[in-house]
Amino acid sequence: MSTETVLDVRNIKVGFRRKRREPIFWALDGVSLSIRPGRTAGLVGESGSGKSTLARAVMGLQAVDGGTIEVAGVSITASRHLSHKRLARDLQAVFQDPTGSLNPSYTIGRSLGEPLVAQGVARRQIRARVEEALVRVGMDPSAADRLPRHFSGGQRQRICIARALMTQAQVVVCDEAVSALDLSVQAQVLNLLMDLQDESGLAYLFISHDMNVVRHLCHDVTVLYRGQVMESGPTSQVVADPSHPYTRALLDAAPVADPERQAARRAAQVRTGTATATGATEEGCPFASRCAFVQDRCRTTRPPLVQASNGVSVACHRFPEWKSEAPPTSPAETAPQGSSVA
Amino acid sequence: MLQGPSAEHWLGTDTLGRDVLSRMLYGISPTASGAAQALIVFLALGIPLGVIAGYRGGLADQVISRVADLALSIPPIIIVLVVIVVSAGRPVAAMASLGVLGAPGLIRVVRAASAAVRDELFVTAAKVSGVSQLRIMRTHVLRRIRGPVVVQASLFGGVALLFQAGLSFLGLLDPDRPTWGAIMGEASTVITQSQWLLIPPGVAITLTVLALGFLGDAVRDASADTDAVATAKASREAASPRTSTATSAALPDPSDYVLSVRELHVHTTSGVPLITDISFDLAAGETVGLVGESGCGKSITALAVLGLTPGGIRIAGGGVYFDGTDLVAGGEAAYRRIRGSGLGYISQDPMAALDPVHTVGSHLNEVLKLRGVGSSAARRERALELLSQVHIADPQRVLKSYPHQISGGMAQRISIAIALAGRPRVLVADEPTTALDVTVQSEILSLLHELQETTGLALLLITHDWGVVADICDRAVVMYAGDVVEVAPAHTVFTAPTHPYTAALLAADPSIEHSGRLPTLPGRVPAPGLWPQGCRFAARCRLATEACSEARVPLIKTSEALSRCLHTDLLKLEKRA
């Protein structure tokens, strides 16, 4: 309830059941996170981790089976009938596929004006605000009169970001917003997101599978696995010294663009078992079947999410002793000579 | 009476000596209004109900679809006849009931189209933007279903016209009004005296129905997306003069390598160059990464190497040498000998490469049969061996599995196993891990690495991920706008890139520690056909000078790399500073 947070997700659960009488599959099982203005919270995990379900729940597109979500102090889970119009004032979204998120037969101006039309803003004012938003994302105002097909993927993503700015929302959900973009375009869009945050104190919920991007952009990060939080805390802490074996595995698996360091990382990589498609026993830790440090209790009791240190929370029975069994993380980034970027 | 066409009566006269032409013209109004009445009811019922069923789904969909299905099973003519009797032959009632009975067909079409729109990302985006459901239906959905509705409406308009004509012909609808059907009905009574009278209404009805059909198609085509037109135009603009091949003398002899690509040019059939002058080599046991952003020609290069260029694209020059033999010169026959046994291929989407109705075992069986493994027992044994070679834990069970029963990572392992079945010497892998989770990617990359060490396989890896290059590649071939811009050993490409594009692309990679803003590259890759005369990167390059744009830059040899840049020394200086 604190006024400090613009997005507050408390212990939410979302369950699916394919058939009656089948046990419920929990896509999200007691996930919490919160974001303050001007901050970026990363949500990482692999496919099936529930990160997209969380995004949908926050956008009000997915009913929850437990827990609460508050956007700018207003609960979106309290009533069965959510007002998207009300929610859109505070929360907007940018999706992975910029091509699919723009109606191909609408001009850019019409697409961008849509959130304002929905809020009942007068037509006269809309045009000016559309142009203003286009300028803010580094586009020419004349783009308003053109169709999406006249723009490249990166430009379309800028346009989608502009649309998210239209209602002066405080929270923007970025659902894999840079994953489909090429490296150089991705860098431009990441910079744009950071600039907009600096200018107006936007808060981002940044959902991604890419640890490198999350490390670059996010202040805090929450690591999801099979619908449960494995670890969360300040990104610098989590990345530098992961407290959960799964986080370590994720970090180890993402290759870095440096052959020497990468070779060292390969050597120090914590092996994980192959994910089994069948749902593990719901009793224990969801990662137990793949974990290199697994013990009997991991399979029988679910580890609670506890405060570790430096604001990091971790759900692991074997924290912190697993770290002493793991190979040391890749030898301290020996700064290669002349690696400074000009 | 019953005169043929004359100067006075262009279409002759009827049984009472009335001018047929004026009766035909007068008949347009009741005929068309009858059809229009049916059409209005048809649209007024069909569109809203179809949109609600398709977009809302759930209970509304169940109810509407069931009722529509039921209505479709009722023969319309019987109901219309009943309505005519009950309403004492009022044409409006008859035509309106035809509209009601036709509506279920439209409901089905509209429902399917709306359901497809419902799942579009832009509809989700609109919802999150706060747009109300009603408004989404009115704007996004209606706009998208225009095409099918126009077609259905024109078809139904034709049906209604025929129906109306038929009922009038039978004299069931207000026989005093001269509709085209009624004129025809009158003509049929005197068919023994004059056949001519049948022709004007017959021709008028036929032409109108046909015209409605064409009109529908034309309106739909005109309102459809004009993307196709746009690309056609772009490619016409693109007819740039063919640049002379800047042959580099430094290229080694193809017979020293297992795979050599030499001055390969690939064009569209309309002559737009897609890749130009591509040369690189692959030694046995080596991994070469083909790196670049989308639109740079990586995948086209891979497909051209395999001789699998898609329709509309052809190899316009150069050669692909496998073990010293030119496959391009040898044509399809040469490729067929080499594919599978010499060249293997794995794609980005392993699931798409597997046929969902066949088990993993039957995929492998088929490939092995093709490779001439005789008995089915031998094939099974080899299949199991292949699966364990790609580290599948339970090969017996996996052989019996269908593609939908396995995970993405497992599917990629299987497609590698299939590629390995012919014991190829070169494996072309097009973004083999892009669609996979990082932990799975890591496993697949170490598998590829291991296979190389055990079998001496050469790997041509297409990727946009510098991390993957750092992880398993020996050399990198960097492509930009259809050109090879740099060829360098993996250990130097990261520390001392010799092309500004390579340097910029590396700098933009967030896996390299940065604080704050990422260095970016202004602009974007020019589309094929819009390439400038000189260096294709010049417009985005910090180091570009006039010389860069004057003529095509050849691949220049530096100490360890080949670079298509005139300013490699500047880049080196900058790096040192």
Side-chain angles (χ1 to χ4, degrees):
Chain A
M1 281 298 272
S2 89
T3 48
E4 265 292 283
T5 60
V6 281
L7 176 68
D8 197 35
V9 175
R10 280 279 151 260
N11 209 19
I12 64 164
K13 295 179 93 147
V14 173
F16 296 106
R17 204 198 297 255
R18 263 181 303 182
K19 289 179 202 149
R20 270 173 217 279
R21 287 167 198 271
E22 223 176 59
I24 294 180
F25 165 76
W26 292 105
L28 286 175
D29 193 357
V31 174
S32 301
L33 64 86
S34 62
I35 318 178
R36 283 179 285 133
R39 304 277 289 182
T40 303
L43 191 62
V44 288
E46 297 180 291
S47 44
S49 64
K51 56 190 195 302
S52 301
T53 309
L54 183 72
R56 287 180 60 79
V58 168
M59 292 185 267
L61 301 172
Q62 169 69 54
V64 299
D65 299 312
T68 58
I69 300 172
E70 282 182 14
V71 177
V74 180
S75 171
I76 66 166
T77 44
S79 125
R80 279 182 67 86
H81 290 284
L82 168 74
S83 164
H84 278 287
K85 183 179 164 186
R86 174 73 189 78
L87 178 60
R89 287 217 297 264
D90 298 319
L91 183 135
Q92 289 283 330
V94 179
F95 300 93
Q96 173 169 5
D97 171 18
T99 307
S101 11
L102 294 169
N103 190 331
S105 50
Y106 278 21
T107 61
I108 301 305
R110 182 161 180 198
S111 280
L112 291 190
E114 206 168 34
L116 294 181
V117 173
Q119 298 296 333
V121 175
R123 295 248 169 219
R124 281 174 289 112
Q125 295 171 26
I126 289 177
R127 176 73 193 197
R129 281 174 66 177
V130 164
E131 290 184 356
E132 189 188 328
L134 282 170
V135 172
R136 273 186 81 189
V137 298
M139 302 273 300
D140 196 272
S142 67
D145 300 318
R146 308 179 71 186
L147 290 170
R149 67 164 178 272
H150 293 123
F151 298 96
S152 68
Q155 289 172 318
R156 285 179 204 168
Q157 197 61 303
R158 281 175 190 273
I159 291 164
C160 291
I161 292 172
R163 174 168 60 188
L165 302 175
M166 295 307 296
T167 61
Q168 269 133 21
Q170 302 173 59
V171 190
V172 175
V173 178
C174 303
D175 189 358
E176 298 276 8
V178 297
S179 308
L181 304 177
D182 271 321
L183 216 48
S184 66
V185 180
Q186 171 180 294
Q188 293 169 7
V189 172
L190 288 175
N191 285 343
L192 172 65
L193 288 172
M194 289 164 94
D195 291 345
L196 291 170
Q197 188 167 55
D198 289 346
E199 279 166 30
S200 51
L202 277 177
Y204 297 123
L205 175 59
F206 192 85
I207 291 149
S208 179
H209 67 279
D210 187 338
M211 262 298 191
N212 290 322
V213 173
V214 167
R215 186 187 57 190
H216 183 75
L217 187 78
C218 300
H219 301 99
D220 302 292
V221 64
T222 299
V223 181
L224 279 187
Y225 186 77
R226 300 241 166 120
Q228 297 179 25
V229 175
M230 299 288 101
E231 176 171 359
S232 73
T235 312
S236 53
Q237 285 290 327
V238 172
V239 169
D241 184 18
S243 299
H244 197 286
Y246 178 61
T247 317
R248 171 75 192 270
L250 269 187
L251 286 164
D252 281 359
V256 296
D258 180 338
E260 272 172 50
R261 254 177 72 207
Q262 179 56 25
R265 285 162 55 91
R266 269 278 180 200
Q269 190 170 17
V270 168
R271 294 273 151 210
T272 53
T274 306
T276 44
T278 48
T281 51
E282 302 309 318
E283 306 292 300
C285 169
F287 189 58
S289 62
R290 295 177 67 188
C291 187
F293 311 101
V294 65
Q295 286 183 338
D296 284 346
R297 63 177 162 161
C298 302
R299 296 201 179 89
T300 51
T301 44
R302 178 174 163 183
L305 193 67
V306 294
Q307 284 285 327
S309 55
N310 304 318
V312 174
S313 303
V314 58
C316 179
H317 288 309
R318 305 237 30 229
F319 175 79
E321 72 257 25
W322 70 266
K323 287 190 188 182
S324 55
E325 292 168 33
T329 31
S330 63
E333 327 282 57
T334 43
Q337 297 88 325
S339 73
S340 65
V341 179
Chain B
M1 273 187 289
L2 289 180
Q3 286 170 8
S6 65
E8 211 171 325
H9 304 288
W10 289 1
L11 295 180
T13 57
D14 71 355
T15 48
L16 300 174
R18 295 171 295 194
D19 179 48
V20 174
L21 178 62
S22 43
R23 275 176 67 78
M24 285 291 299
L25 290 176
Y26 183 79
I28 292 174
S29 156
T31 310
S33 75
Q37 284 153 4
L39 192 59
I40 288 168
V41 173
F42 172 78
L43 292 174
L45 271 180
I47 295 174
L49 289 177
V51 169
I52 290 169
Y55 182 73
R56 291 305 294 259
L59 186 66
D61 179 28
Q62 297 242 332
V63 172
I64 293 170
S65 297
R66 292 288 175 283
V67 173
D69 288 348
L70 201 68
L72 273 177
S73 63
I74 301 172
I77 183 75
I78 294 176
I79 301 292
V80 173
L81 289 178
V82 169
V83 169
I84 289 172
V85 172
V86 171
S87 69
R90 282 179 53 211
V92 179
M95 295 317 289
S97 60
L98 179 67
V100 172
L101 293 165
L106 181 64
I107 289 176
R108 282 188 155 193
V109 171
V110 171
R111 175 182 172 274
S114 322
V117 183
R118 180 182 59 189
D119 298 330
E120 292 274 5
L121 197 52
F122 62 77
V123 169
T124 310
K127 230 182 272 174
V128 175
S129 291
V131 182
S132 68
Q133 303 274 356
L134 197 67
R135 204 184 150 79
I136 290 176
M137 284 194 246
R138 235 176 46 218
T139 55
H140 291 282
V141 179
L142 271 191
R143 188 151 181 153
R144 274 300 277 274
I145 61 172
R146 251 179 349 191
V149 167
V150 168
V151 173
Q152 289 295 315
S154 63
L155 289 176
F156 185 76
V159 169
L161 194 81
L162 284 176
F163 216 88
Q164 203 265 355
L167 291 175
S168 310
F169 177 84
L170 297 171
L172 294 170
L173 291 179
D174 201 1
D176 301 335
R177 287 214 299 176
T179 62
W180 292 349
I183 295 172
M184 223 169 163
E186 190 190 321
S188 69
T189 59
V190 291
I191 196 162
T192 47
Q193 292 149 279
S194 160
Q195 286 84 25
W196 164 252
L197 208 48
L198 276 172
I199 291 179
V203 168
I205 290 170
T206 312
L207 284 183
T208 313
V209 171
L210 268 177
L212 278 169
F214 286 131
L215 184 73
D217 278 353
V219 171
R220 194 224 15 224
D221 290 348
S223 65
D225 274 339
T226 42
D227 268 344
V229 183
T231 31
K233 207 166 106 200
S235 58
R236 230 178 298 128
E237 282 166 14
S240 73
R242 190 177 159 175
T243 41
S244 62
T245 319
T247 314
S248 337
L251 292 173
D253 183 6
S255 58
D256 296 343
Y257 292 91
V258 58
L259 183 78
S260 286
V261 175
R262 282 288 171 275
E263 289 152 29
L264 189 66
H265 291 257
V266 174
H267 292 185
T268 64
T269 38
S270 55
V272 181
L274 298 174
I275 55 172
T276 53
D277 195 17
I278 302 290
S279 300
F280 60 86
D281 303 284
L282 193 60
E286 191 186 30
T287 302
V288 168
L290 207 53
V291 202
E293 297 181 284
S294 46
C296 286
K298 304 184 302 268
S299 291
I300 287 293
T301 306
L303 291 173
V305 164
L306 293 161
L308 295 173
T309 45
I313 292 173
R314 62 189 179 86
I315 294 179
V320 175
Y321 295 85
F322 184 84
D323 248 352
T325 334
D326 187 358
L327 299 178
V328 175
E332 187 55 27
Y335 268 116
R336 215 168 311 138
R337 268 197 303 279
I338 297 299
R339 262 186 229 134
S341 58
L343 281 170
Y345 174 65
I346 53 176
S347 71
Q348 175 169 353
D349 184 359
M351 282 298 182
L354 299 174
D355 185 337
V357 300
H358 290 292
T359 60
V360 168
S362 81
H363 277 100
L364 280 163
N365 187 47
E366 194 183 341
V367 176
L368 290 168
K369 210 189 267 176
L370 221 70
R371 298 279 152 255
V373 181
S375 73
S376 74
R379 285 198 294 268
R380 190 180 153 79
E381 197 173 315
R382 176 91 174 107
L384 288 171
E385 184 191 314
L386 283 167
L387 288 185
S388 50
Q389 202 180 354
V390 296
H391 299 301
I392 281 175
D394 186 0
Q396 301 275 3
R397 188 179 56 84
V398 171
L399 271 189
K400 286 185 225 132
S401 307
Y402 285 90
H404 70 268
Q405 293 167 319
I406 59 183
S407 66
M410 179 107 71
Q412 192 58 289
R413 283 174 194 275
I414 287 160
S415 67
I416 294 173
I418 292 172
L420 291 178
R423 302 183 204 272
R425 297 176 53 203
V426 176
L427 190 60
V428 178
D430 189 356
E431 304 264 7
T433 57
T434 305
L436 305 174
D437 280 329
V438 271
T439 53
V440 182
Q441 160 171 302
S442 171
E443 291 165 15
I444 296 288
L445 291 179
S446 39
L447 170 66
L448 288 174
H449 197 65
E450 181 199 309
L451 286 172
Q452 260 190 314
E453 291 192 338
T454 53
T455 64
L457 192 68
L459 189 62
L460 178 62
L461 185 80
I462 289 97
T463 183
H464 66 277
D465 187 339
W466 283 115
V468 172
V469 176
D471 198 21
I472 69 166
C473 291
D474 301 309
R475 283 191 303 140
V477 175
V478 184
M479 289 191 69
Y480 182 78
D483 250 344
V484 169
V485 294
E486 173 163 2
V487 181
H491 63 92
T492 66
V493 78
F494 290 96
T495 48
T498 58
H499 195 282
Y501 175 65
T502 316
L505 203 56
L506 275 167
D509 191 332
S511 83
I512 296 165
E513 317 267 334
H514 296 283
S515 48
R517 296 174 59 90
L518 288 162
T520 58
L521 194 54
R524 57 166 145 153
V525 186
L530 303 174
W531 296 330
Q533 190 72 46
C535 172
R536 293 176 192 161
F537 186 63
R540 305 172 73 187
C541 184
R542 288 172 301 122
L543 305 176
T545 56
E546 260 175 50
C548 297
S549 313
E550 269 166 15
R552 190 154 163 72
V553 181
L555 271 177
I556 298 163
K557 197 159 170 47
T558 68
S559 57
E560 280 194 276
L562 289 174
S563 169
R564 205 180 281 282
C565 179
L566 298 174
H567 302 296
T568 44
D569 41 342
L570 273 179
L571 202 64
K572 224 179 277 171
L573 280 177
E574 207 173 55
K575 199 81 193 172
R576 220 167 280 149

